[in-house]
Amino acid sequence: MTDDLLADASRRPARAVPHAEISDELRHRLEQPASSLKVSIPVRMDDGTLRVFAGYRVRFDDTRGPAKGGIRFQPDVDVREVTTLSYWMTFKTALVDVPFGGGKGGVSVDPKELSTAELERLARGYVAAVADAIGPETDIPAPDVATNELVMGWMADEYDKIVRGHVPAAFTGKPLALGGIPGRSSATSDGAFHVLRTLRDQLLPDTDEPTVAVQGFGNAGSQLARSLADAGYRVVAVSDSRAAVHDDAGLDVHVLAEHKRETGSLEDAPAGEEIDPDELLALEVDVLIPAALEGAIHGDNADRVRARVVLEVANGPVTADADDILTEAGVEIVPDILANAGGVTVSWFEWIQGRTGDRWDAATVADRLEQRMVAATEDVVRVAEERDLPLITAAYVVAFERLSAAVDAQGTVRTYNGG
Ligand code: NAD
């Protein structure tokens, strides 16, 4: 293992290993990333000075297809974080059975300190620095924290210039006008919605109006809150980095989303009462949705969680220590590699579109996303029932067995020793 972060991230998969039919060779292959690149990106600032930023691109595993994963712009990004995220992507792509491996990238920068023109030079500089390691058949980046369609548009354009041709399948999450796909911005929340809907009868059989609290009223969290409210769930609390609002009778999340869009935060919200953001995690609700940060529920606060189900929309919002505490308390965790896999699934559609030159319409994207998310959820439920496992472990079993089938198909010790 490269460090503690990856060791911590390996604890969920490690629990699945005894229940999965996999070769030892797969486990060895997943101990280290296939490739890990650190680059320096010199950027000319608006005032004429030069700053040099550290960038990373990690391809963890590509046995099942080209690596796939976002690029984040964040001050504390380092190789350990990017490696861990690429490790999770390896399982996520296997679980939803898209023909990709796991990758991730990042730049250590506070994007709020940069002008738009500086950000563009940084985005283009990143692509120039990692161009040999990415491409539609090797490793396909996408947006992640603090990168968006505009950044992907710059990056895709820079890549095209470097290879001297149009390669729309080299990036996903692009603007529609540059080969993006309808529905990409709501894909993560739509996918999470289908997962919860598929599990609802099993996890919440005795309630007509399940109550929901959402930590992180951003892109994924606010869209999911609105879809759930429209589908008859009662959203009683939402929070962002500055404020949390609560109303047992249910919040008007459409009004709150409008307020957040206009003012940039949930402060002085026109609905509900403000509560301490930490209190949101301790509300007695049917479904708690962490949709903000890694490690939001950890060993020191997990015993305060009183939800019946935790739906992990953020990546890694529940630490391995907290897994134990929640599972012991009977809380069912729907793991991130299933709950937030809608984003990578629609990225797959965008990649197909880029490779074929076809255009998909919104209805086709929505139908195929629903089919894929329901199928992945049903695979997890089947394994959970057959092998008497919590959903988290069952999800890793499904992913492991898909990865193992690919590794076995290339030959393992049994192939060569006739065993
Ligand atoms: P975002 O930046 O749009 O939203 C994040 C929200 O969390 C913001 O509203 C922010 O104010 C809030 N937040 C930050 N700190 C908080 C705190 N301490 N308490 C409460 N709220 C806090 O990001 P996003 O795209 O919605 O992504 C959210 C999470 O979902 C991330 O972990 C991301 O990796 C994961 N995810 C997103 C996608 C996607 O397609 N958007 C796909 C897969 C996973």
Side-chain angles (χ1 to χ4, degrees):
M1 291 300 159
T2 51
D3 54 48
D4 288 343
L5 270 185
L6 187 54
D8 197 55
S10 313
R11 278 167 63 180
R12 283 186 180 183
R15 283 191 192 123
V17 166
H19 305 282
E21 289 175 24
I22 57 173
S23 60
D24 285 345
E25 292 186 22
L26 173 64
R27 282 165 53 204
H28 295 320
R29 284 168 79 137
L30 296 180
E31 281 169 3
Q32 301 286 339
S35 129
S36 177
L37 182 64
K38 177 172 188 285
V39 294
S40 295
I41 310 157
V43 176
R44 184 66 58 191
M45 308 305 281
D46 293 344
D47 66 2
T49 59
L50 187 80
R51 277 183 69 185
V52 181
F53 296 89
Y56 308 91
R57 187 73 201 172
V58 175
R59 180 165 47 87
F60 202 96
D61 183 82
D62 57 4
T63 314
R64 300 182 64 263
K68 186 86 193 78
I71 298 167
R72 54 177 55 183
F73 283 0
Q74 258 189 336
D76 53 0
V77 164
D78 61 17
V79 71
R80 301 172 321 143
E81 178 177 328
V82 174
T83 303
T84 302
L85 289 160
S86 68
Y87 177 74
W88 278 325
M89 285 302 295
T90 303
F91 288 98
K92 192 183 299 184
T93 52
L95 174 57
V96 285
D97 202 10
V98 295
F100 293 136
K104 204 78 182 188
V107 177
S108 177
V109 57
D110 182 353
K112 293 196 200 101
E113 287 179 359
L114 268 53
S115 70
T116 306
E118 289 167 344
L119 202 61
E120 175 175 0
R121 291 194 284 273
L122 176 63
R124 290 181 182 277
Y126 176 83
V127 173
V130 303
D132 287 338
I134 60 173
E137 278 152 25
T138 43
D139 184 355
I140 306 136
D144 195 65
V145 177
T147 51
N148 56 18
E149 279 188 2
L150 181 62
V151 175
M152 288 306 113
W154 290 328
M155 288 189 173
D157 179 54
E158 190 65 23
Y159 187 79
D160 286 353
K161 284 187 179 141
I162 291 167
V163 301
R164 304 185 80 77
H166 277 282
V167 191
F171 287 83
T172 62
K174 302 181 298 297
L176 265 184
L178 294 178
I181 194 158
R184 176 62 185 82
S185 65
S186 63
T188 300
S189 56
D190 291 346
F193 179 83
H194 295 312
V195 170
L196 187 58
R197 187 178 52 74
T198 309
L199 293 170
R200 180 168 163 177
D201 288 348
Q202 179 192 336
L203 297 181
L204 306 165
D206 49 4
T207 168
D208 291 337
E209 193 188 24
T211 52
V212 178
V214 182
Q215 182 203 43
F217 202 60
N219 175 30
S222 75
Q223 293 194 62
L224 181 57
R226 280 173 279 169
S227 306
L228 291 174
D230 292 346
Y233 292 74
R234 181 151 42 104
V235 181
V236 298
V238 298
S239 67
D240 65 11
S241 58
R242 296 211 226 144
V245 284
H246 173 238
D247 186 347
D248 266 335
L251 294 163
D252 186 334
V253 283
H254 292 277
V255 165
L256 289 173
E258 187 57 25
H259 175 76
K260 170 112 177 156
R261 199 185 57 74
E262 279 171 6
T263 68
S265 97
L266 285 171
E267 287 170 313
D268 304 319
E273 279 184 17
E274 277 207 26
I275 57 169
D276 183 322
D278 286 344
E279 289 306 309
L280 180 139
L281 296 177
L283 291 173
E284 193 171 341
V285 285
D286 293 309
V287 189
L288 173 62
I289 303 179
L293 307 168
E294 280 141 49
I297 303 175
H298 45 76
D300 293 332
N301 67 5
D303 60 352
R304 300 185 63 217
V305 170
R306 288 186 295 157
R308 297 164 75 186
V309 175
V310 171
L311 181 74
E312 293 187 326
V313 169
N315 284 310
V318 178
T319 65
D321 291 347
D323 272 356
D324 293 337
I325 297 167
L326 295 180
T327 307
E328 181 72 17
V331 180
E332 188 79 71
I333 303 168
V334 184
D336 50 5
I337 58 167
L338 176 63
N340 72 24
V344 75
T345 302
V346 173
S347 274
W348 171 44
F349 303 156
E350 185 177 336
W351 179 73
I352 297 172
Q353 189 182 255
R355 282 163 64 100
T356 57
D358 198 1
R359 290 279 175 178
W360 289 36
D361 60 24
T364 307
V365 172
D367 278 359
R368 295 229 18 211
L369 174 64
E370 180 171 1
Q371 277 172 31
R372 181 59 51 152
M373 296 309 296
V374 171
T377 310
E378 288 175 345
D379 286 342
V380 172
V381 169
R382 195 188 61 254
V383 167
E385 285 172 357
E386 284 172 4
R387 305 188 202 181
D388 193 21
L389 297 171
L391 294 174
I392 320 177
T393 309
Y396 277 94
V397 167
V398 173
F400 258 133
E401 291 184 351
R402 285 215 177 97
L403 281 159
S404 192
V407 167
D408 291 358
Q410 291 177 343
T412 64
V413 65
R414 283 197 298 274
T415 317
Y416 303 104
N417 292 349

PDB file of all heavy atoms in Angstrom, residues 103-131:
ATOM      1  N   GLY A 103      -9.268   5.728 -12.769  1.00  0.00           N
ATOM      2  CA  GLY A 103      -8.227   6.757 -12.837  1.00  0.00           C
ATOM      3  C   GLY A 103      -8.655   7.977 -12.052  1.00  0.00           C
ATOM      4  O   GLY A 103      -9.790   8.058 -11.582  1.00  0.00           O
ATOM      5  N   LYS A 104      -7.787   8.918 -11.878  1.00  0.00           N
ATOM      6  CA  LYS A 104      -8.141  10.193 -11.228  1.00  0.00           C
ATOM      7  C   LYS A 104      -7.003  11.171 -11.452  1.00  0.00           C
ATOM      8  O   LYS A 104      -5.852  10.763 -11.644  1.00  0.00           O
ATOM      9  CB  LYS A 104      -8.348   9.997  -9.726  1.00  0.00           C
ATOM     10  CG  LYS A 104      -9.251  11.047  -9.095  1.00  0.00           C
ATOM     11  CD  LYS A 104     -10.729  10.767  -9.373  1.00  0.00           C
ATOM     12  CE  LYS A 104     -11.624  11.817  -8.792  1.00  0.00           C
ATOM     13  NZ  LYS A 104     -13.036  11.418  -8.904  1.00  0.00           N
ATOM     14  N   GLY A 105      -7.330  12.465 -11.371  1.00  0.00           N
ATOM     15  CA  GLY A 105      -6.294  13.484 -11.514  1.00  0.00           C
ATOM     16  C   GLY A 105      -6.576  14.663 -10.615  1.00  0.00           C
ATOM     17  O   GLY A 105      -7.665  14.793 -10.055  1.00  0.00           O
ATOM     18  N   GLY A 106      -5.582  15.514 -10.467  1.00  0.00           N
ATOM     19  CA  GLY A 106      -5.795  16.696  -9.646  1.00  0.00           C
ATOM     20  C   GLY A 106      -4.661  17.679  -9.785  1.00  0.00           C
ATOM     21  O   GLY A 106      -3.566  17.346 -10.252  1.00  0.00           O
ATOM     22  N   VAL A 107      -4.967  18.916  -9.399  1.00  0.00           N
ATOM     23  CA  VAL A 107      -3.954  19.963  -9.337  1.00  0.00           C
ATOM     24  C   VAL A 107      -4.070  20.620  -7.971  1.00  0.00           C
ATOM     25  O   VAL A 107      -5.174  20.915  -7.500  1.00  0.00           O
ATOM     26  CB  VAL A 107      -4.166  21.025 -10.442  1.00  0.00           C
ATOM     27  CG1 VAL A 107      -3.135  22.147 -10.303  1.00  0.00           C
ATOM     28  CG2 VAL A 107      -4.088  20.405 -11.821  1.00  0.00           C
ATOM     29  N   SER A 108      -2.934  20.828  -7.334  1.00  0.00           N
ATOM     30  CA  SER A 108      -2.920  21.492  -6.041  1.00  0.00           C
ATOM     31  C   SER A 108      -2.986  23.003  -6.263  1.00  0.00           C
ATOM     32  O   SER A 108      -1.990  23.647  -6.572  1.00  0.00           O
ATOM     33  CB  SER A 108      -1.633  21.101  -5.299  1.00  0.00           C
ATOM     34  OG  SER A 108      -1.582  21.796  -4.096  1.00  0.00           O
ATOM     35  N   VAL A 109      -4.184  23.548  -6.119  1.00  0.00           N
ATOM     36  CA  VAL A 109      -4.420  24.975  -6.393  1.00  0.00           C
ATOM     37  C   VAL A 109      -5.715  25.388  -5.707  1.00  0.00           C
ATOM     38  O   VAL A 109      -6.641  24.591  -5.584  1.00  0.00           O
ATOM     39  CB  VAL A 109      -4.557  25.226  -7.922  1.00  0.00           C
ATOM     40  CG1 VAL A 109      -5.667  24.399  -8.541  1.00  0.00           C
ATOM     41  CG2 VAL A 109      -4.801  26.697  -8.235  1.00  0.00           C
ATOM     42  N   ASP A 110      -5.763  26.644  -5.257  1.00  0.00           N
ATOM     43  CA  ASP A 110      -7.036  27.197  -4.812  1.00  0.00           C
ATOM     44  C   ASP A 110      -7.606  27.975  -5.990  1.00  0.00           C
ATOM     45  O   ASP A 110      -7.164  29.095  -6.273  1.00  0.00           O
ATOM     46  CB  ASP A 110      -6.833  28.119  -3.614  1.00  0.00           C
ATOM     47  CG  ASP A 110      -8.166  28.663  -3.119  1.00  0.00           C
ATOM     48  OD1 ASP A 110      -9.186  28.423  -3.803  1.00  0.00           O
ATOM     49  OD2 ASP A 110      -8.184  29.310  -2.063  1.00  0.00           O
ATOM     50  N   PRO A 111      -8.576  27.391  -6.715  1.00  0.00           N
ATOM     51  CA  PRO A 111      -9.025  28.040  -7.963  1.00  0.00           C
ATOM     52  C   PRO A 111      -9.631  29.413  -7.716  1.00  0.00           C
ATOM     53  O   PRO A 111      -9.660  30.245  -8.632  1.00  0.00           O
ATOM     54  CB  PRO A 111     -10.064  27.059  -8.527  1.00  0.00           C
ATOM     55  CG  PRO A 111     -10.405  26.116  -7.441  1.00  0.00           C
ATOM     56  CD  PRO A 111      -9.303  26.142  -6.427  1.00  0.00           C
ATOM     57  N   LYS A 112     -10.105  29.675  -6.487  1.00  0.00           N
ATOM     58  CA  LYS A 112     -10.707  30.991  -6.208  1.00  0.00           C
ATOM     59  C   LYS A 112      -9.668  32.112  -6.264  1.00  0.00           C
ATOM     60  O   LYS A 112     -10.011  33.272  -6.429  1.00  0.00           O
ATOM     61  CB  LYS A 112     -11.357  30.975  -4.820  1.00  0.00           C
ATOM     62  CG  LYS A 112     -12.563  30.057  -4.734  1.00  0.00           C
ATOM     63  CD  LYS A 112     -13.383  30.383  -3.491  1.00  0.00           C
ATOM     64  CE  LYS A 112     -14.285  29.235  -3.104  1.00  0.00           C
ATOM     65  NZ  LYS A 112     -13.778  28.422  -2.007  1.00  0.00           N
ATOM     66  N   GLU A 113      -8.392  31.757  -6.132  1.00  0.00           N
ATOM     67  CA  GLU A 113      -7.330  32.782  -6.177  1.00  0.00           C
ATOM     68  C   GLU A 113      -6.952  33.156  -7.604  1.00  0.00           C
ATOM     69  O   GLU A 113      -6.177  34.088  -7.809  1.00  0.00           O
ATOM     70  CB  GLU A 113      -6.054  32.247  -5.496  1.00  0.00           C
ATOM     71  CG  GLU A 113      -6.144  32.175  -3.997  1.00  0.00           C
ATOM     72  CD  GLU A 113      -4.858  31.607  -3.405  1.00  0.00           C
ATOM     73  OE1 GLU A 113      -3.934  31.253  -4.171  1.00  0.00           O
ATOM     74  OE2 GLU A 113      -4.803  31.513  -2.182  1.00  0.00           O
ATOM     75  N   LEU A 114      -7.435  32.392  -8.597  1.00  0.00           N
ATOM     76  CA  LEU A 114      -7.006  32.607  -9.984  1.00  0.00           C
ATOM     77  C   LEU A 114      -8.069  33.361 -10.779  1.00  0.00           C
ATOM     78  O   LEU A 114      -9.269  33.163 -10.555  1.00  0.00           O
ATOM     79  CB  LEU A 114      -6.755  31.256 -10.662  1.00  0.00           C
ATOM     80  CG  LEU A 114      -5.334  30.685 -10.599  1.00  0.00           C
ATOM     81  CD1 LEU A 114      -4.803  30.614  -9.188  1.00  0.00           C
ATOM     82  CD2 LEU A 114      -5.276  29.319 -11.269  1.00  0.00           C
ATOM     83  N   SER A 115      -7.628  34.203 -11.693  1.00  0.00           N
ATOM     84  CA  SER A 115      -8.575  34.822 -12.619  1.00  0.00           C
ATOM     85  C   SER A 115      -9.012  33.744 -13.618  1.00  0.00           C
ATOM     86  O   SER A 115      -8.388  32.686 -13.727  1.00  0.00           O
ATOM     87  CB  SER A 115      -7.902  35.970 -13.376  1.00  0.00           C
ATOM     88  OG  SER A 115      -6.947  35.440 -14.283  1.00  0.00           O
ATOM     89  N   THR A 116     -10.053  34.051 -14.386  1.00  0.00           N
ATOM     90  CA  THR A 116     -10.535  33.062 -15.370  1.00  0.00           C
ATOM     91  C   THR A 116      -9.439  32.751 -16.391  1.00  0.00           C
ATOM     92  O   THR A 116      -9.246  31.595 -16.775  1.00  0.00           O
ATOM     93  CB  THR A 116     -11.801  33.606 -16.072  1.00  0.00           C
ATOM     94  OG1 THR A 116     -12.744  33.952 -15.053  1.00  0.00           O
ATOM     95  CG2 THR A 116     -12.418  32.568 -16.980  1.00  0.00           C
ATOM     96  N   ALA A 117      -8.703  33.780 -16.803  1.00  0.00           N
ATOM     97  CA  ALA A 117      -7.650  33.547 -17.805  1.00  0.00           C
ATOM     98  C   ALA A 117      -6.517  32.695 -17.212  1.00  0.00           C
ATOM     99  O   ALA A 117      -5.946  31.833 -17.894  1.00  0.00           O
ATOM    100  CB  ALA A 117      -7.106  34.877 -18.308  1.00  0.00           C
ATOM    101  N   GLU A 118      -6.198  32.922 -15.933  1.00  0.00           N
ATOM    102  CA  GLU A 118      -5.159  32.093 -15.288  1.00  0.00           C
ATOM    103  C   GLU A 118      -5.627  30.641 -15.161  1.00  0.00           C
ATOM    104  O   GLU A 118      -4.856  29.699 -15.372  1.00  0.00           O
ATOM    105  CB  GLU A 118      -4.828  32.660 -13.903  1.00  0.00           C
ATOM    106  CG  GLU A 118      -4.054  33.979 -13.963  1.00  0.00           C
ATOM    107  CD  GLU A 118      -3.994  34.714 -12.620  1.00  0.00           C
ATOM    108  OE1 GLU A 118      -4.787  34.390 -11.700  1.00  0.00           O
ATOM    109  OE2 GLU A 118      -3.155  35.635 -12.497  1.00  0.00           O
ATOM    110  N   LEU A 119      -6.909  30.482 -14.837  1.00  0.00           N
ATOM    111  CA  LEU A 119      -7.470  29.131 -14.719  1.00  0.00           C
ATOM    112  C   LEU A 119      -7.394  28.399 -16.061  1.00  0.00           C
ATOM    113  O   LEU A 119      -7.055  27.212 -16.128  1.00  0.00           O
ATOM    114  CB  LEU A 119      -8.928  29.250 -14.264  1.00  0.00           C
ATOM    115  CG  LEU A 119      -9.553  28.044 -13.592  1.00  0.00           C
ATOM    116  CD1 LEU A 119      -8.801  27.682 -12.322  1.00  0.00           C
ATOM    117  CD2 LEU A 119     -11.022  28.344 -13.261  1.00  0.00           C
ATOM    118  N   GLU A 120      -7.679  29.132 -17.126  1.00  0.00           N
ATOM    119  CA  GLU A 120      -7.597  28.518 -18.460  1.00  0.00           C
ATOM    120  C   GLU A 120      -6.157  28.088 -18.757  1.00  0.00           C
ATOM    121  O   GLU A 120      -5.915  26.971 -19.224  1.00  0.00           O
ATOM    122  CB  GLU A 120      -8.094  29.486 -19.547  1.00  0.00           C
ATOM    123  CG  GLU A 120      -7.895  28.889 -20.939  1.00  0.00           C
ATOM    124  CD  GLU A 120      -8.472  29.706 -22.084  1.00  0.00           C
ATOM    125  OE1 GLU A 120      -9.051  30.769 -21.820  1.00  0.00           O
ATOM    126  OE2 GLU A 120      -8.331  29.256 -23.240  1.00  0.00           O
ATOM    127  N   ARG A 121      -5.177  28.950 -18.433  1.00  0.00           N
ATOM    128  CA  ARG A 121      -3.784  28.580 -18.708  1.00  0.00           C
ATOM    129  C   ARG A 121      -3.379  27.358 -17.870  1.00  0.00           C
ATOM    130  O   ARG A 121      -2.644  26.492 -18.327  1.00  0.00           O
ATOM    131  CB  ARG A 121      -2.861  29.771 -18.447  1.00  0.00           C
ATOM    132  CG  ARG A 121      -3.054  30.900 -19.464  1.00  0.00           C
ATOM    133  CD  ARG A 121      -1.923  31.919 -19.431  1.00  0.00           C
ATOM    134  NE  ARG A 121      -1.984  32.832 -18.311  1.00  0.00           N
ATOM    135  CZ  ARG A 121      -2.673  33.983 -18.290  1.00  0.00           C
ATOM    136  NH1 ARG A 121      -3.380  34.370 -19.335  1.00  0.00           N
ATOM    137  NH2 ARG A 121      -2.652  34.757 -17.223  1.00  0.00           N
ATOM    138  N   LEU A 122      -3.904  27.293 -16.640  1.00  0.00           N
ATOM    139  CA  LEU A 122      -3.590  26.134 -15.784  1.00  0.00           C
ATOM    140  C   LEU A 122      -4.211  24.854 -16.362  1.00  0.00           C
ATOM    141  O   LEU A 122      -3.545  23.806 -16.432  1.00  0.00           O
ATOM    142  CB  LEU A 122      -4.117  26.380 -14.365  1.00  0.00           C
ATOM    143  CG  LEU A 122      -3.930  25.214 -13.395  1.00  0.00           C
ATOM    144  CD1 LEU A 122      -2.448  24.908 -13.168  1.00  0.00           C
ATOM    145  CD2 LEU A 122      -4.608  25.511 -12.049  1.00  0.00           C
ATOM    146  N   ALA A 123      -5.471  24.946 -16.784  1.00  0.00           N
ATOM    147  CA  ALA A 123      -6.154  23.767 -17.335  1.00  0.00           C
ATOM    148  C   ALA A 123      -5.414  23.266 -18.588  1.00  0.00           C
ATOM    149  O   ALA A 123      -5.166  22.069 -18.754  1.00  0.00           O
ATOM    150  CB  ALA A 123      -7.603  24.113 -17.674  1.00  0.00           C
ATOM    151  N   ARG A 124      -5.042  24.195 -19.447  1.00  0.00           N
ATOM    152  CA  ARG A 124      -4.332  23.811 -20.673  1.00  0.00           C
ATOM    153  C   ARG A 124      -2.931  23.281 -20.340  1.00  0.00           C
ATOM    154  O   ARG A 124      -2.453  22.314 -20.947  1.00  0.00           O
ATOM    155  CB  ARG A 124      -4.243  25.009 -21.635  1.00  0.00           C
ATOM    156  CG  ARG A 124      -5.595  25.390 -22.241  1.00  0.00           C
ATOM    157  CD  ARG A 124      -5.480  26.563 -23.206  1.00  0.00           C
ATOM    158  NE  ARG A 124      -6.771  26.954 -23.749  1.00  0.00           N
ATOM    159  CZ  ARG A 124      -7.376  26.367 -24.786  1.00  0.00           C
ATOM    160  NH1 ARG A 124      -6.768  25.379 -25.418  1.00  0.00           N
ATOM    161  NH2 ARG A 124      -8.551  26.774 -25.210  1.00  0.00           N
ATOM    162  N   GLY A 125      -2.289  23.903 -19.344  1.00  0.00           N
ATOM    163  CA  GLY A 125      -0.956  23.450 -18.929  1.00  0.00           C
ATOM    164  C   GLY A 125      -1.002  22.036 -18.348  1.00  0.00           C
ATOM    165  O   GLY A 125      -0.091  21.231 -18.572  1.00  0.00           O
ATOM    166  N   TYR A 126      -2.062  21.746 -17.612  1.00  0.00           N
ATOM    167  CA  TYR A 126      -2.208  20.390 -17.055  1.00  0.00           C
ATOM    168  C   TYR A 126      -2.272  19.361 -18.194  1.00  0.00           C
ATOM    169  O   TYR A 126      -1.586  18.332 -18.157  1.00  0.00           O
ATOM    170  CB  TYR A 126      -3.477  20.323 -16.187  1.00  0.00           C
ATOM    171  CG  TYR A 126      -3.776  18.941 -15.646  1.00  0.00           C
ATOM    172  CD1 TYR A 126      -3.148  18.478 -14.482  1.00  0.00           C
ATOM    173  CD2 TYR A 126      -4.658  18.081 -16.297  1.00  0.00           C
ATOM    174  CE1 TYR A 126      -3.402  17.200 -13.996  1.00  0.00           C
ATOM    175  CE2 TYR A 126      -4.916  16.814 -15.816  1.00  0.00           C
ATOM    176  CZ  TYR A 126      -4.292  16.377 -14.663  1.00  0.00           C
ATOM    177  OH  TYR A 126      -4.541  15.106 -14.187  1.00  0.00           O
ATOM    178  N   VAL A 127      -3.086  19.665 -19.195  1.00  0.00           N
ATOM    179  CA  VAL A 127      -3.237  18.716 -20.309  1.00  0.00           C
ATOM    180  C   VAL A 127      -1.907  18.536 -21.042  1.00  0.00           C
ATOM    181  O   VAL A 127      -1.503  17.409 -21.361  1.00  0.00           O
ATOM    182  CB  VAL A 127      -4.348  19.177 -21.283  1.00  0.00           C
ATOM    183  CG1 VAL A 127      -4.384  18.297 -22.533  1.00  0.00           C
ATOM    184  CG2 VAL A 127      -5.698  19.145 -20.572  1.00  0.00           C
ATOM    185  N   ALA A 128      -1.204  19.647 -21.269  1.00  0.00           N
ATOM    186  CA  ALA A 128       0.088  19.532 -21.957  1.00  0.00           C
ATOM    187  C   ALA A 128       1.040  18.639 -21.154  1.00  0.00           C
ATOM    188  O   ALA A 128       1.792  17.840 -21.707  1.00  0.00           O
ATOM    189  CB  ALA A 128       0.698  20.917 -22.149  1.00  0.00           C
ATOM    190  N   ALA A 129       0.962  18.747 -19.812  1.00  0.00           N
ATOM    191  CA  ALA A 129       1.889  17.988 -18.965  1.00  0.00           C
ATOM    192  C   ALA A 129       1.546  16.499 -18.898  1.00  0.00           C
ATOM    193  O   ALA A 129       2.436  15.665 -18.743  1.00  0.00           O
ATOM    194  CB  ALA A 129       1.902  18.591 -17.556  1.00  0.00           C
ATOM    195  N   VAL A 130       0.253  16.148 -18.981  1.00  0.00           N
ATOM    196  CA  VAL A 130      -0.122  14.727 -18.826  1.00  0.00           C
ATOM    197  C   VAL A 130      -0.546  14.089 -20.155  1.00  0.00           C
ATOM    198  O   VAL A 130      -0.997  12.941 -20.167  1.00  0.00           O
ATOM    199  CB  VAL A 130      -1.263  14.532 -17.772  1.00  0.00           C
ATOM    200  CG1 VAL A 130      -0.872  15.101 -16.419  1.00  0.00           C
ATOM    201  CG2 VAL A 130      -2.601  15.103 -18.246  1.00  0.00           C
ATOM    202  N   ALA A 131      -0.382  14.828 -21.275  1.00  0.00           N
ATOM    203  CA  ALA A 131      -0.962  14.373 -22.553  1.00  0.00           C
ATOM    204  C   ALA A 131      -0.536  12.957 -22.934  1.00  0.00           C
ATOM    205  O   ALA A 131      -1.325  12.189 -23.490  1.00  0.00           O
ATOM    206  CB  ALA A 131      -0.589  15.344 -23.671  1.00  0.00           C
TER     207      ALA A 131
END
